[in-house]
Amino acid sequence: MAVVRVVRDRTAGLFLAAVVVSGFGSSAMTLAAGIWVKSLTGSDALAALALFAVWLPVLCGPLLGAVADRLPRKPLLVGSNIVLAVLLTGLAAVDPAKRVWLLFAVLLVYGCGSVLMDAAEAALVAGAVEPGLLGDFNGLRMMANEGMKLVAPLTGAGLYARFGGGAVALLDAVSFALAAGLYALLRVRRTDRPAPGGRGGTAAGLRHLWGSPVLRPLVLAASATMLCAGLNGATLYAVVDDVLGRSPAYAGVLAVAQGAGSVAAGLAAGPLMRRLPGRVFPAAGIAVFGVAVGLRAVPSDAVALVACALIGAGLPCVLIAALTAVQRETPDAVLGRTAAAAHMLMMAPNAVALGIGAGLVARVDMAVLLPLVGAAAVLTASLLGTGRREPVAPAGPSAPAGA
């Protein structure tokens, strides 16, 4: 099995281990940061702003991706993890009364580090993993991330309740330090890095995405899907309360069902991408997601659980397909910028839609809003699946990423 080949490959295995370790701490800290700010300030707005501070650097993706293209990528991954570990350790040692704005500053740096490391990792993986296994690797990476989201937030919340925010910061610092050690063990070949300002500058990644008949439709479809995902996410507590008549804690049960669906999608992604032609895999995933969003308007616990599992299974498909295509279709010299630009275009709509959705939830009935969002996703799937296809040469081996 290809999944077994990925896991047995030393480089891919180390990458996945680093994703699991750092992802656990990151997921725990992301939840705890909001709780931490709320307990220090009593402000719901500032607590929400803590999450926004982590998301904001996504908008600087092309700039941070340029850094990943112009520096040796393995040392960049190791160094970034060490810097974040040191910052979080320092945060745990600061007097609680002085932590609030320092916490925001650390979260902002934290978000920048995440974008930078995602770009460097995407570029490094493209040269270290066989092209034929990239889909399997990206599926397993998605599975690892989603798997951590099932257990890490509960761990972080429990640790915060028992020992306070400093303990969660230390947990995250340890996770980044371990990830740095794992990245240091990678064996990658060195290649020439482009000179600063060369190969089109900071916007080269955006230009490459827009000029590619393979990448442009995938990234645009992913952007539209994540916009729908943000609108859907904003309805979570309205569905739990108004549609299902449950307490807010029931959202955790739905999150587990969605996470389980994402784990299944991650395992199946590689084989499905090899068996299904062209854009069928991402289009089918978007369609499943859209139908499931519409089903969330049904006042039934069983239907809600199935719908959340289908959302978890369908939503990652276009993200995995888009990232894999970026890694296969992009020259190494601009791969960091292209990966970061793709991440920005795909993830920024989610953050925007969360804000829009928060306003719509108060004004539009769930029986109307959810079917409309689901229909928009199904339309996106139809446009992606039936759109004009350009002939594409078979992907050859990727150039080795810089050490």
Side-chain angles (χ1 to χ4, degrees):
M1 289 179 60
V3 169
V4 176
R5 288 172 59 196
V6 171
V7 174
R8 286 181 175 175
D9 181 87
R10 182 181 184 277
T11 300
L14 285 171
F15 266 118
L16 289 174
V19 167
V20 169
V21 168
S22 63
F24 181 88
S26 296
S27 296
M29 185 63 188
T30 299
L31 173 66
I35 302 173
W36 200 354
V37 171
K38 170 68 174 177
S39 67
L40 290 173
T41 66
S43 170
D44 291 328
L46 288 176
L49 195 60
L51 182 59
F52 180 72
V54 177
W55 272 91
L56 184 60
V58 169
L59 300 177
C60 301
L63 179 62
L64 294 169
V67 176
D69 280 335
R70 292 166 183 168
L71 294 176
R73 288 163 183 156
K74 175 182 165 181
L76 180 60
L77 284 171
V78 175
S80 297
N81 277 280
I82 291 173
V83 168
L84 291 175
V86 171
L87 284 175
L88 288 163
T89 302
L91 182 62
V94 173
D95 181 84
K98 301 177 181 177
R99 278 179 180 161
V100 178
W101 298 111
L102 179 60
L103 177 58
F104 276 105
V106 170
L107 289 174
L108 193 61
V109 175
Y110 185 93
C112 290
S114 296
V115 175
L116 180 61
M117 289 188 291
D118 282 347
E121 183 187 288
L124 201 56
V125 164
V129 177
E130 292 180 37
L133 295 179
L134 281 174
D136 299 273
F137 176 87
N138 290 323
L140 289 175
R141 187 185 188 281
M142 179 72 70
M143 182 192 74
N145 274 328
E146 295 302 319
M148 289 304 98
K149 291 177 184 177
L150 294 178
V151 295
L154 294 177
T155 303
L159 196 61
Y160 181 90
R162 180 68 179 85
F163 300 106
V168 184
L170 285 176
L171 171 67
D172 208 7
V174 170
S175 75
F176 279 121
L178 290 174
L182 290 168
Y183 283 126
L185 295 174
L186 289 173
R187 296 172 184 167
V188 292
R189 290 172 291 173
R190 185 177 299 276
T191 188
D192 293 334
R193 305 253 42 85
R199 287 300 189 100
T202 301
L206 286 168
R207 284 197 294 271
H208 178 70
L209 283 176
W210 190 252
S212 169
V214 176
L215 301 181
R216 184 174 64 249
L218 279 173
V219 172
L220 289 177
S223 298
T225 303
M226 292 307 294
L227 183 71
C228 294
L231 294 172
N232 174 67
T235 68
L236 174 60
Y237 291 103
V239 168
V240 169
D241 183 17
D242 300 337
V243 178
L244 301 178
R246 293 278 192 167
S247 70
Y250 193 69
V253 178
L254 299 181
V256 170
Q258 183 168 332
S262 295
V263 169
L267 281 172
L272 287 175
M273 288 176 69
R274 282 189 292 274
R275 288 177 174 82
L276 296 176
R279 303 173 192 163
V280 173
F281 171 70
I286 298 171
V288 168
F289 164 75
V291 171
V293 169
L295 288 175
R296 294 182 71 227
V298 177
S300 163
D301 285 358
V303 173
L305 289 170
V306 170
C308 285
L310 290 175
I311 287 171
L315 183 58
C317 295
V318 68
L319 302 178
I320 295 170
L323 176 58
T324 302
V326 165
Q327 290 170 323
R328 288 175 174 167
E329 301 289 331
T330 306
D332 178 78
V334 295
L335 186 46
R337 278 166 283 184
T338 304
H343 185 73
M344 177 189 72
L345 293 173
M346 292 189 293
M347 296 304 170
N350 182 265
V352 172
L354 282 170
I356 296 173
L360 291 175
V361 164
R363 295 171 174 81
V364 183
D365 189 85
M366 291 300 101
V368 175
L369 180 59
L370 288 169
L372 284 176
V373 174
V378 171
L379 176 61
T380 300
S382 176
L383 292 173
L384 177 64
T386 60
R388 185 169 65 93
R389 293 171 176 79
E390 302 288 342
V392 180
S398 300

